Amino acid sequence: MIIADGNGCGRNVVKELAALEVAQSGRGYDPVYVTHYKCSWVGEEYGNATVPPTWPYVDKRGKIWDVKAIREMYRPWIELKDSGVGVHIGEMGVNRFTPHDVTLKYIESVLSVLKEHDIGFAFWDFRGGSGFFNSEREDVEYEDYEGLKLDRKMLELIQRY
């Protein structure tokens, strides 16, 4: 099986590949302000700001990001999948600086849309800044699991999908 990343950092379907026997892989990072809050590698416009995000989230242009917006964002991917092309969201997650309750609500929104359309997913990491092991989030009650710090709430959320 060949899987091609979408264009634009994996955000956009590559329509030209639809007729080939090639699956396509998207991303689960929008809105970036929510998923990349305080990340050192992005600018203020994309998350390196002082006001913590919420979920749902209203961006600078007044767009309301919620499960409905996520569904609309994935519409091209859903249509591609419905046309018979294999689709999965091959990279997603929320960095450790986004408040935990916001992170869980955002992930739930994304995963619920993907499940509605039978689209698989993969997280950026299970262990590290956006994972459920050793994320270094300061607002999580961790559980010790074989020497690792487990975010049980995040793990159980992912397991439901």
Side-chain angles (χ1 to χ4, degrees), residues 51-66:
V51 178
T54 60
W55 192 259
Y57 171 69
V58 180
D59 69 19
K60 291 180 184 179
R61 295 168 286 169
K63 178 177 179 171
I64 298 171
W65 285 89
D66 56 10

Side-chain angles (χ1 to χ4, degrees), residues 84-138:
V85 174
V87 169
H88 87 309
I89 301 306
E91 183 180 315
M92 63 178 289
V94 180
N95 196 273
R96 70 185 181 96
F97 298 110
T98 298
H100 193 242
D101 64 321
V102 173
T103 296
L104 297 177
K105 289 175 189 175
Y106 169 81
I107 290 171
E108 178 93 39
S109 293
V110 171
L111 295 183
S112 70
V113 170
L114 298 178
K115 184 173 184 169
E116 285 172 17
H117 299 282
D118 199 27
I119 295 175
F121 63 91
F123 272 72
W124 172 250
D125 58 6
F126 290 146
R127 183 174 172 173
S130 63
F132 51 83
F133 282 123
N134 296 351
S135 68
E136 299 182 17
R137 293 179 183 276
E138 295 179 3

Side-chain angles (χ1 to χ4, degrees), residues 23-26 76-78 80-82 85-89 118-120:
Q24 292 193 39
S25 180
W77 294 98
I78 293 164
L80 184 67
K81 190 243 178 208
D82 290 347
V85 174
V87 169
H88 87 309
I89 301 306
D118 199 27
I119 295 175

